[in-house]
Short mmCIF file of all heavy atoms in Angstrom, two decimals:
data_model
loop_
_atom_site.label_atom_id
_atom_site.label_comp_id
_atom_site.label_asym_id
_atom_site.label_seq_id
_atom_site.Cartn_x
_atom_site.Cartn_y
_atom_site.Cartn_z
N ASN A 214 160.56 218.17 120.78
CA ASN A 214 161.30 217.12 121.57
C ASN A 214 160.72 215.79 121.20
O ASN A 214 159.76 215.34 121.79
CB ASN A 214 161.14 217.41 123.07
CG ASN A 214 162.05 216.53 123.90
OD1 ASN A 214 163.18 216.34 123.56
ND2 ASN A 214 161.50 215.96 124.99
N VAL A 215 161.30 215.16 120.20
CA VAL A 215 160.69 213.96 119.60
C VAL A 215 161.75 212.86 119.42
O VAL A 215 162.90 213.14 119.16
CB VAL A 215 160.00 214.27 118.28
CG1 VAL A 215 158.82 215.15 118.50
CG2 VAL A 215 160.98 214.94 117.32
N LEU A 216 161.33 211.64 119.59
CA LEU A 216 162.13 210.49 119.13
C LEU A 216 161.95 210.42 117.63
O LEU A 216 160.86 210.27 117.13
CB LEU A 216 161.66 209.20 119.82
CG LEU A 216 162.00 209.10 121.31
CD1 LEU A 216 161.30 207.84 121.86
CD2 LEU A 216 163.47 208.99 121.53
N HIS A 217 163.04 210.48 116.95
CA HIS A 217 162.95 210.57 115.48
C HIS A 217 163.65 209.39 114.79
O HIS A 217 164.39 208.63 115.43
CB HIS A 217 163.56 211.88 114.96
CG HIS A 217 164.92 212.16 115.53
ND1 HIS A 217 166.08 211.49 115.02
CD2 HIS A 217 165.37 212.93 116.51
CE1 HIS A 217 167.10 211.94 115.71
NE2 HIS A 217 166.74 212.80 116.60
N ASP A 218 163.45 209.26 113.50
CA ASP A 218 164.10 208.17 112.75
C ASP A 218 165.56 208.58 112.38
O ASP A 218 166.02 209.61 112.79
CB ASP A 218 163.29 207.86 111.47
CG ASP A 218 163.15 209.04 110.54
OD1 ASP A 218 163.98 209.99 110.61
OD2 ASP A 218 162.21 209.04 109.74
N ASP A 219 166.19 207.71 111.64
CA ASP A 219 167.62 207.93 111.38
C ASP A 219 167.87 208.92 110.30
O ASP A 219 168.99 209.13 109.85
CB ASP A 219 168.30 206.62 111.06
CG ASP A 219 167.71 205.88 109.85
OD1 ASP A 219 166.84 206.45 109.20
OD2 ASP A 219 168.16 204.74 109.58
N ALA A 220 166.84 209.63 109.79
CA ALA A 220 167.01 210.65 108.80
C ALA A 220 166.98 212.04 109.37
O ALA A 220 167.17 213.01 108.63
CB ALA A 220 165.90 210.55 107.71
N HIS A 221 166.81 212.16 110.69
CA HIS A 221 166.69 213.45 111.32
C HIS A 221 167.76 213.62 112.45
O HIS A 221 168.47 212.69 112.78
CB HIS A 221 165.29 213.62 111.97
CG HIS A 221 164.20 213.69 111.01
ND1 HIS A 221 163.63 212.52 110.48
CD2 HIS A 221 163.53 214.73 110.47
CE1 HIS A 221 162.64 212.88 109.63
NE2 HIS A 221 162.51 214.20 109.62
N GLY A 222 167.83 214.83 112.98
CA GLY A 222 168.69 215.09 114.13
C GLY A 222 170.18 214.87 113.83
O GLY A 222 170.88 214.26 114.63
N GLN A 223 170.64 215.42 112.71
CA GLN A 223 172.01 215.11 112.27
C GLN A 223 172.58 216.24 111.38
O GLN A 223 171.86 217.09 110.89
CB GLN A 223 172.01 213.82 111.50
CG GLN A 223 171.15 213.85 110.24
CD GLN A 223 170.89 212.49 109.66
OE1 GLN A 223 171.20 212.22 108.49
NE2 GLN A 223 170.33 211.56 110.48
N ILE A 224 173.87 216.11 111.17
CA ILE A 224 174.53 216.91 110.14
C ILE A 224 175.11 215.92 109.09
O ILE A 224 175.77 214.94 109.44
CB ILE A 224 175.67 217.76 110.74
CG1 ILE A 224 175.10 218.79 111.63
CG2 ILE A 224 176.46 218.46 109.58
CD1 ILE A 224 176.14 219.59 112.43
N ARG A 225 174.77 216.11 107.82
CA ARG A 225 175.28 215.28 106.76
C ARG A 225 176.37 216.03 105.98
O ARG A 225 176.44 217.24 105.99
CB ARG A 225 174.18 214.88 105.77
CG ARG A 225 173.01 214.12 106.42
CD ARG A 225 172.00 213.73 105.39
NE ARG A 225 170.71 213.33 105.99
CZ ARG A 225 169.65 213.02 105.36
NH1 ARG A 225 169.63 213.00 104.01
NH2 ARG A 225 168.50 212.69 105.99
N ARG A 226 177.21 215.23 105.30
CA ARG A 226 178.17 215.86 104.36
C ARG A 226 178.09 215.04 103.07
O ARG A 226 177.77 213.84 103.03
CB ARG A 226 179.56 215.89 104.93
CG ARG A 226 180.22 214.56 105.13
CD ARG A 226 181.65 214.75 105.65
NE ARG A 226 182.24 213.46 106.02
CZ ARG A 226 183.47 213.32 106.52
NH1 ARG A 226 184.19 214.43 106.80
NH2 ARG A 226 183.99 212.19 106.78
N MET A 227 178.49 215.73 101.98
CA MET A 227 178.44 215.11 100.63
C MET A 227 179.45 215.82 99.78
O MET A 227 179.94 216.91 100.08
CB MET A 227 177.04 215.24 100.09
CG MET A 227 176.62 216.65 99.82
SD MET A 227 174.80 216.79 99.47
CE MET A 227 174.08 216.51 101.10
N ASN A 228 179.70 215.21 98.56
CA ASN A 228 180.52 215.84 97.58
C ASN A 228 179.80 217.05 97.00
O ASN A 228 178.54 217.14 97.12
CB ASN A 228 180.88 214.83 96.51
CG ASN A 228 181.65 213.69 97.03
OD1 ASN A 228 182.56 213.83 97.86
ND2 ASN A 228 181.38 212.49 96.52
N LEU A 229 180.52 217.91 96.32
CA LEU A 229 179.90 219.12 95.82
C LEU A 229 178.93 218.87 94.69
O LEU A 229 178.17 219.79 94.29
CB LEU A 229 181.00 220.10 95.38
CG LEU A 229 181.85 220.70 96.49
CD1 LEU A 229 182.92 221.63 95.91
CD2 LEU A 229 181.02 221.34 97.56
N ASP A 230 178.89 217.65 94.13
CA ASP A 230 177.90 217.33 93.11
C ASP A 230 176.75 216.58 93.70
O ASP A 230 175.82 216.09 93.00
CB ASP A 230 178.52 216.49 91.98
CG ASP A 230 179.10 215.18 92.46
OD1 ASP A 230 179.04 214.88 93.69
OD2 ASP A 230 179.67 214.42 91.66
N GLY A 231 176.70 216.46 95.04
CA GLY A 231 175.59 215.80 95.72
C GLY A 231 175.76 214.29 95.95
O GLY A 231 174.87 213.68 96.59
N THR A 232 176.84 213.75 95.48
CA THR A 232 177.04 212.29 95.68
C THR A 232 177.74 212.04 96.98
O THR A 232 178.28 212.92 97.61
CB THR A 232 177.91 211.74 94.50
OG1 THR A 232 179.22 212.35 94.54
CG2 THR A 232 177.28 211.99 93.17
N GLY A 233 177.78 210.75 97.36
CA GLY A 233 178.53 210.35 98.53
C GLY A 233 178.01 210.85 99.84
O GLY A 233 178.80 211.02 100.79
N ALA A 234 176.70 211.10 99.97
CA ALA A 234 176.17 211.65 101.22
C ALA A 234 176.34 210.68 102.37
O ALA A 234 176.14 209.46 102.19
CB ALA A 234 174.68 212.00 101.05
N GLU A 235 176.70 211.22 103.54
CA GLU A 235 176.89 210.37 104.70
C GLU A 235 176.56 211.20 105.95
O GLU A 235 176.64 212.44 105.93
CB GLU A 235 178.32 209.85 104.81
CG GLU A 235 179.36 210.94 104.89
CD GLU A 235 180.80 210.37 105.02
OE1 GLU A 235 180.95 209.17 105.24
OE2 GLU A 235 181.72 211.18 104.84
N VAL A 236 176.25 210.53 107.06
CA VAL A 236 175.98 211.22 108.31
C VAL A 236 177.28 211.56 108.96
O VAL A 236 178.13 210.67 109.15
CB VAL A 236 175.11 210.35 109.26
CG1 VAL A 236 174.91 211.04 110.59
CG2 VAL A 236 173.73 210.09 108.61
N TYR A 237 177.46 212.82 109.35
CA TYR A 237 178.72 213.25 109.93
C TYR A 237 178.59 213.40 111.49
O TYR A 237 179.52 213.09 112.20
CB TYR A 237 179.15 214.59 109.35
CG TYR A 237 180.45 215.10 109.82
CD1 TYR A 237 181.64 214.41 109.56
CD2 TYR A 237 180.53 216.29 110.56
CE1 TYR A 237 182.88 214.88 110.02
CE2 TYR A 237 181.76 216.79 111.02
CZ TYR A 237 182.93 216.08 110.74
OH TYR A 237 184.15 216.54 111.19
N ALA A 238 177.45 213.91 111.97
CA ALA A 238 177.22 214.05 113.39
C ALA A 238 175.80 213.71 113.70
O ALA A 238 174.88 213.97 112.91
CB ALA A 238 177.53 215.49 113.82
N LEU A 239 175.59 213.16 114.95
CA LEU A 239 174.26 212.70 115.38
C LEU A 239 173.87 213.46 116.63
O LEU A 239 174.69 214.19 117.19
CB LEU A 239 174.29 211.23 115.65
CG LEU A 239 174.53 210.26 114.48
CD1 LEU A 239 175.01 208.92 114.97
CD2 LEU A 239 173.32 210.13 113.64
N GLY A 240 172.62 213.31 117.05
CA GLY A 240 172.16 213.93 118.32
C GLY A 240 172.09 215.43 118.22
O GLY A 240 172.31 216.11 119.21
N VAL A 241 171.75 215.96 117.03
CA VAL A 241 171.70 217.37 116.79
C VAL A 241 170.22 217.79 116.76
O VAL A 241 169.50 217.35 115.88
CB VAL A 241 172.40 217.73 115.49
CG1 VAL A 241 172.35 219.28 115.28
CG2 VAL A 241 173.85 217.29 115.49
N ARG A 242 169.79 218.63 117.67
CA ARG A 242 168.35 219.03 117.65
C ARG A 242 168.02 219.98 116.55
O ARG A 242 167.16 219.73 115.68
CB ARG A 242 167.98 219.69 118.98
CG ARG A 242 166.47 220.10 119.01
CD ARG A 242 166.06 220.70 120.36
NE ARG A 242 164.69 221.10 120.35
CZ ARG A 242 164.25 222.28 119.97
NH1 ARG A 242 165.12 223.19 119.52
NH2 ARG A 242 162.99 222.58 119.99
N HIS A 243 168.81 221.10 116.42
CA HIS A 243 168.59 221.99 115.31
C HIS A 243 169.77 222.99 115.27
O HIS A 243 169.82 223.89 116.09
CB HIS A 243 167.27 222.76 115.42
CG HIS A 243 166.94 223.58 114.21
ND1 HIS A 243 167.18 223.14 112.91
CD2 HIS A 243 166.41 224.82 114.10
CE1 HIS A 243 166.75 224.07 112.07
NE2 HIS A 243 166.29 225.09 112.75
N SER A 244 170.67 222.81 114.31
CA SER A 244 171.78 223.73 114.16
C SER A 244 171.55 224.60 112.94
O SER A 244 171.26 224.15 111.84
CB SER A 244 173.07 222.91 113.97
OG SER A 244 174.16 223.82 113.69
N VAL A 245 171.69 225.91 113.16
CA VAL A 245 171.54 226.92 112.09
C VAL A 245 172.85 227.68 111.93
O VAL A 245 172.88 228.85 111.51
CB VAL A 245 170.36 227.84 112.37
CG1 VAL A 245 169.96 228.62 111.09
CG2 VAL A 245 169.14 227.04 112.83
N GLY A 246 173.98 227.02 112.22
CA GLY A 246 175.26 227.68 112.03
C GLY A 246 176.42 226.75 112.34
O GLY A 246 176.38 226.10 113.46
N PHE A 247 177.40 226.66 111.49
CA PHE A 247 178.62 225.94 111.80
C PHE A 247 179.76 226.50 110.99
O PHE A 247 179.59 227.12 109.94
CB PHE A 247 178.48 224.44 111.60
CG PHE A 247 177.66 223.97 110.42
CD1 PHE A 247 178.18 223.92 109.13
CD2 PHE A 247 176.38 223.49 110.62
CE1 PHE A 247 177.43 223.46 108.06
CE2 PHE A 247 175.60 223.04 109.57
CZ PHE A 247 176.13 223.02 108.30
N ASP A 248 180.97 226.24 111.50
CA ASP A 248 182.20 226.73 110.83
C ASP A 248 183.32 225.84 111.36
O ASP A 248 183.18 225.05 112.25
CB ASP A 248 182.43 228.21 111.18
CG ASP A 248 183.47 228.88 110.21
OD1 ASP A 248 183.76 228.29 109.21
OD2 ASP A 248 183.96 229.96 110.56
N TRP A 249 184.50 226.06 110.77
CA TRP A 249 185.67 225.19 111.08
C TRP A 249 186.80 226.05 111.69
O TRP A 249 187.11 227.12 111.23
CB TRP A 249 186.17 224.50 109.84
CG TRP A 249 185.29 223.40 109.39
CD1 TRP A 249 185.38 222.07 109.65
CD2 TRP A 249 184.05 223.52 108.65
NE1 TRP A 249 184.35 221.35 109.15
CE2 TRP A 249 183.49 222.24 108.49
CE3 TRP A 249 183.35 224.61 108.10
CZ2 TRP A 249 182.32 222.00 107.80
CZ3 TRP A 249 182.15 224.38 107.43
CH2 TRP A 249 181.67 223.08 107.30
N ASN A 250 187.36 225.51 112.79
CA ASN A 250 188.42 226.20 113.48
C ASN A 250 189.65 226.28 112.56
O ASN A 250 190.14 225.23 112.11
CB ASN A 250 188.78 225.41 114.77
CG ASN A 250 189.77 226.15 115.64
OD1 ASN A 250 190.56 226.94 115.18
ND2 ASN A 250 189.73 225.82 116.93
N PRO A 251 190.12 227.46 112.22
CA PRO A 251 191.21 227.56 111.29
C PRO A 251 192.49 226.97 111.83
O PRO A 251 193.42 226.65 111.06
CB PRO A 251 191.38 229.10 111.05
CG PRO A 251 190.68 229.72 112.23
CD PRO A 251 189.59 228.79 112.65
N ALA A 252 192.59 226.78 113.14
CA ALA A 252 193.83 226.27 113.72
C ALA A 252 193.97 224.75 113.52
O ALA A 252 195.04 224.26 113.32
CB ALA A 252 193.86 226.58 115.25
N ASN A 253 192.84 223.99 113.60
CA ASN A 253 192.96 222.56 113.51
C ASN A 253 191.90 221.92 112.61
O ASN A 253 191.78 220.68 112.54
CB ASN A 253 192.88 221.91 114.88
CG ASN A 253 191.61 222.31 115.62
OD1 ASN A 253 190.64 222.75 115.04
ND2 ASN A 253 191.64 222.20 116.93
N LYS A 254 191.06 222.75 111.93
CA LYS A 254 190.04 222.30 110.96
C LYS A 254 188.93 221.48 111.60
O LYS A 254 188.15 220.84 110.90
CB LYS A 254 190.70 221.46 109.86
CG LYS A 254 191.91 222.08 109.18
CD LYS A 254 191.59 223.49 108.64
CE LYS A 254 192.84 224.05 108.00
NZ LYS A 254 192.65 225.49 107.58
N GLN A 255 188.80 221.55 112.92
CA GLN A 255 187.64 220.89 113.58
C GLN A 255 186.36 221.73 113.41
O GLN A 255 186.37 222.98 113.48
CB GLN A 255 187.91 220.70 115.06
CG GLN A 255 188.99 219.66 115.36
CD GLN A 255 189.25 219.45 116.81
OE1 GLN A 255 188.92 220.34 117.64
NE2 GLN A 255 189.89 218.33 117.17
N MET A 256 185.27 221.02 113.24
CA MET A 256 183.97 221.67 112.98
C MET A 256 183.36 222.06 114.34
O MET A 256 183.33 221.26 115.28
CB MET A 256 183.02 220.76 112.27
CG MET A 256 181.65 221.36 111.99
SD MET A 256 180.48 220.11 111.39
CE MET A 256 179.45 221.08 110.34
N TYR A 257 182.87 223.30 114.43
CA TYR A 257 182.08 223.77 115.55
C TYR A 257 180.68 224.10 115.04
O TYR A 257 180.53 224.61 113.95
CB TYR A 257 182.72 225.02 116.20
CG TYR A 257 183.92 224.73 117.07
CD1 TYR A 257 185.10 224.25 116.57
CD2 TYR A 257 183.85 225.03 118.45
CE1 TYR A 257 186.18 224.01 117.35
CE2 TYR A 257 184.95 224.80 119.25
CZ TYR A 257 186.11 224.28 118.69
OH TYR A 257 187.21 224.05 119.53
N PHE A 258 179.69 223.87 115.89
CA PHE A 258 178.31 224.19 115.51
C PHE A 258 177.46 224.60 116.68
O PHE A 258 177.67 224.12 117.79
CB PHE A 258 177.62 223.04 114.73
CG PHE A 258 177.31 221.80 115.52
CD1 PHE A 258 176.11 221.64 116.16
CD2 PHE A 258 178.28 220.78 115.64
CE1 PHE A 258 175.83 220.50 116.87
CE2 PHE A 258 178.00 219.62 116.33
CZ PHE A 258 176.76 219.47 116.95
N THR A 259 176.53 225.52 116.44
CA THR A 259 175.58 225.86 117.47
C THR A 259 174.39 224.88 117.38
O THR A 259 174.09 224.35 116.33
CB THR A 259 175.00 227.30 117.27
OG1 THR A 259 174.45 227.38 115.88
CG2 THR A 259 176.16 228.33 117.37
N ASP A 260 173.73 224.71 118.55
CA ASP A 260 172.61 223.76 118.59
C ASP A 260 171.57 224.34 119.57
O ASP A 260 171.93 224.71 120.72
CB ASP A 260 173.01 222.39 118.98
CG ASP A 260 171.96 221.32 118.63
OD1 ASP A 260 171.00 221.65 117.89
OD2 ASP A 260 172.11 220.17 119.04
N ASN A 261 170.32 224.45 119.10
CA ASN A 261 169.25 224.95 119.97
C ASN A 261 168.70 223.88 120.87
O ASN A 261 168.29 222.79 120.40
CB ASN A 261 168.12 225.48 119.06
CG ASN A 261 168.58 226.71 118.27
OD1 ASN A 261 167.77 227.24 117.52
ND2 ASN A 261 169.77 227.21 118.49
N GLY A 262 168.61 224.15 122.19
CA GLY A 262 168.04 223.21 123.14
C GLY A 262 166.52 223.10 123.02
O GLY A 262 165.87 223.94 122.38
N ARG A 263 165.96 222.11 123.68
CA ARG A 263 164.51 221.89 123.61
C ARG A 263 163.75 222.96 124.36
O ARG A 263 164.27 223.72 125.17
CB ARG A 263 164.18 220.50 124.19
CG ARG A 263 164.50 220.36 125.69
CD ARG A 263 163.67 219.26 126.33
NE ARG A 263 162.24 219.64 126.40
CZ ARG A 263 161.31 218.88 127.00
NH1 ARG A 263 161.63 217.74 127.54
NH2 ARG A 263 160.05 219.33 127.03
N ASP A 264 162.47 223.08 124.03
CA ASP A 264 161.59 224.00 124.72
C ASP A 264 160.80 223.32 125.78
O ASP A 264 160.69 222.08 125.86
CB ASP A 264 160.57 224.59 123.68
CG ASP A 264 161.26 225.34 122.55
OD1 ASP A 264 162.28 225.98 122.83
OD2 ASP A 264 160.77 225.27 121.42
N TRP A 265 160.26 224.10 126.70
CA TRP A 265 159.24 223.71 127.68
C TRP A 265 159.77 222.82 128.81
O TRP A 265 158.99 222.30 129.56
CB TRP A 265 158.01 223.09 127.03
CG TRP A 265 157.42 223.89 125.93
CD1 TRP A 265 157.18 223.47 124.63
CD2 TRP A 265 157.03 225.26 125.98
NE1 TRP A 265 156.64 224.50 123.87
CE2 TRP A 265 156.52 225.60 124.69
CE3 TRP A 265 157.00 226.24 126.96
CZ2 TRP A 265 156.01 226.85 124.37
CZ3 TRP A 265 156.55 227.50 126.64
CH2 TRP A 265 156.07 227.80 125.37
N LEU A 266 161.11 222.70 128.93
CA LEU A 266 161.57 222.03 130.15
C LEU A 266 161.57 223.00 131.32
O LEU A 266 161.10 222.63 132.43
CB LEU A 266 163.03 221.51 129.87
CG LEU A 266 163.62 220.62 130.98
CD1 LEU A 266 162.79 219.39 131.19
CD2 LEU A 266 165.04 220.21 130.60
N SER A 267 162.02 224.17 131.07
CA SER A 267 161.82 225.30 132.04
C SER A 267 162.32 226.54 131.32
O SER A 267 162.85 226.46 130.21
CB SER A 267 162.61 225.11 133.33
OG SER A 267 163.98 225.48 133.18
N GLU A 268 162.15 227.74 131.93
CA GLU A 268 162.65 228.96 131.35
C GLU A 268 164.15 229.09 131.46
O GLU A 268 164.78 229.86 130.70
CB GLU A 268 161.98 230.17 131.95
CG GLU A 268 160.50 230.30 131.63
CD GLU A 268 159.98 231.70 131.72
OE1 GLU A 268 160.68 232.64 131.26
OE2 GLU A 268 158.90 231.89 132.29
N SER A 269 164.76 228.35 132.36
CA SER A 269 166.19 228.56 132.61
C SER A 269 167.07 227.44 132.08
O SER A 269 168.32 227.59 131.99
CB SER A 269 166.45 228.72 134.10
OG SER A 269 165.96 227.60 134.87
N VAL A 270 166.51 226.31 131.69
CA VAL A 270 167.27 225.20 131.09
C VAL A 270 166.37 224.55 130.04
O VAL A 270 165.13 224.60 130.13
CB VAL A 270 167.73 224.16 132.14
CG1 VAL A 270 168.72 224.74 133.11
CG2 VAL A 270 166.50 223.57 132.91
N PRO A 271 167.01 223.82 129.07
CA PRO A 271 168.42 223.75 128.88
C PRO A 271 168.97 224.97 128.16
O PRO A 271 168.23 225.69 127.48
CB PRO A 271 168.62 222.50 128.05
CG PRO A 271 167.38 222.47 127.24
CD PRO A 271 166.25 223.03 128.10
N GLU A 272 170.27 225.14 128.23
CA GLU A 272 170.97 226.15 127.47
C GLU A 272 171.28 225.67 126.06
O GLU A 272 171.48 224.49 125.82
CB GLU A 272 172.25 226.60 128.13
CG GLU A 272 172.06 227.23 129.47
CD GLU A 272 173.29 227.97 130.00
OE1 GLU A 272 173.99 228.57 129.15
OE2 GLU A 272 173.56 227.88 131.20
N ASP A 273 171.29 226.60 125.13
CA ASP A 273 171.79 226.30 123.78
C ASP A 273 173.24 225.91 123.87
O ASP A 273 173.97 226.30 124.84
CB ASP A 273 171.61 227.47 122.84
CG ASP A 273 170.15 227.68 122.49
OD1 ASP A 273 169.28 226.94 122.90
OD2 ASP A 273 169.88 228.67 121.74
N GLU A 274 173.69 225.14 122.88
CA GLU A 274 175.04 224.60 122.96
C GLU A 274 176.00 225.10 121.84
O GLU A 274 175.55 225.43 120.76
CB GLU A 274 174.97 223.07 122.86
CG GLU A 274 174.15 222.40 123.91
CD GLU A 274 173.95 220.93 123.65
OE1 GLU A 274 174.50 220.43 122.69
OE2 GLU A 274 173.23 220.25 124.45
N LEU A 275 177.28 225.15 122.18
CA LEU A 275 178.32 225.29 121.18
C LEU A 275 179.07 223.97 121.21
O LEU A 275 179.63 223.58 122.24
CB LEU A 275 179.29 226.44 121.53
CG LEU A 275 180.49 226.62 120.60
CD1 LEU A 275 180.01 226.91 119.16
CD2 LEU A 275 181.43 227.65 121.10
N ASN A 276 179.03 223.23 120.10
CA ASN A 276 179.59 221.87 120.04
C ASN A 276 180.79 221.82 119.08
O ASN A 276 180.95 222.63 118.16
CB ASN A 276 178.54 220.89 119.55
CG ASN A 276 177.48 220.64 120.62
OD1 ASN A 276 177.76 220.31 121.74
ND2 ASN A 276 176.23 220.85 120.26
N ARG A 277 181.64 220.82 119.30
CA ARG A 277 182.77 220.58 118.48
C ARG A 277 182.78 219.13 118.04
O ARG A 277 182.65 218.22 118.86
CB ARG A 277 184.06 220.92 119.25
CG ARG A 277 185.34 220.53 118.54
CD ARG A 277 186.54 220.77 119.43
NE ARG A 277 186.48 220.08 120.71
CZ ARG A 277 187.44 220.08 121.61
NH1 ARG A 277 188.52 220.79 121.40
NH2 ARG A 277 187.27 219.46 122.75
#
Side-chain angles (χ1 to χ4, degrees):
N214 190 44
V215 292
L216 288 172
H217 51 77
D218 59 23
D219 59 6
H221 295 83
Q223 61 193 236
I224 296 173
R225 301 182 195 177
R226 68 177 174 184
M227 64 192 73
N228 299 321
L229 294 180
D230 62 359
T232 63
E235 61 181 347
V236 176
Y237 183 66
L239 297 160
V241 181
R242 181 178 178 272
H243 187 39
S244 175
V245 194
F247 38 80
D248 196 15
W249 286 263
N250 188 334
N253 56 20
K254 311 305 181 186
Q255 290 180 341
M256 182 192 210
Y257 282 65
F258 67 92
T259 57
D260 198 10
N261 294 176
R263 64 157 291 184
D264 299 325
W265 308 126
L266 187 58
S267 81
E268 290 204 44
S269 58
V270 293
E272 296 195 38
D273 287 359
E274 300 173 3
L275 176 63
N276 289 306
R277 172 184 56 176

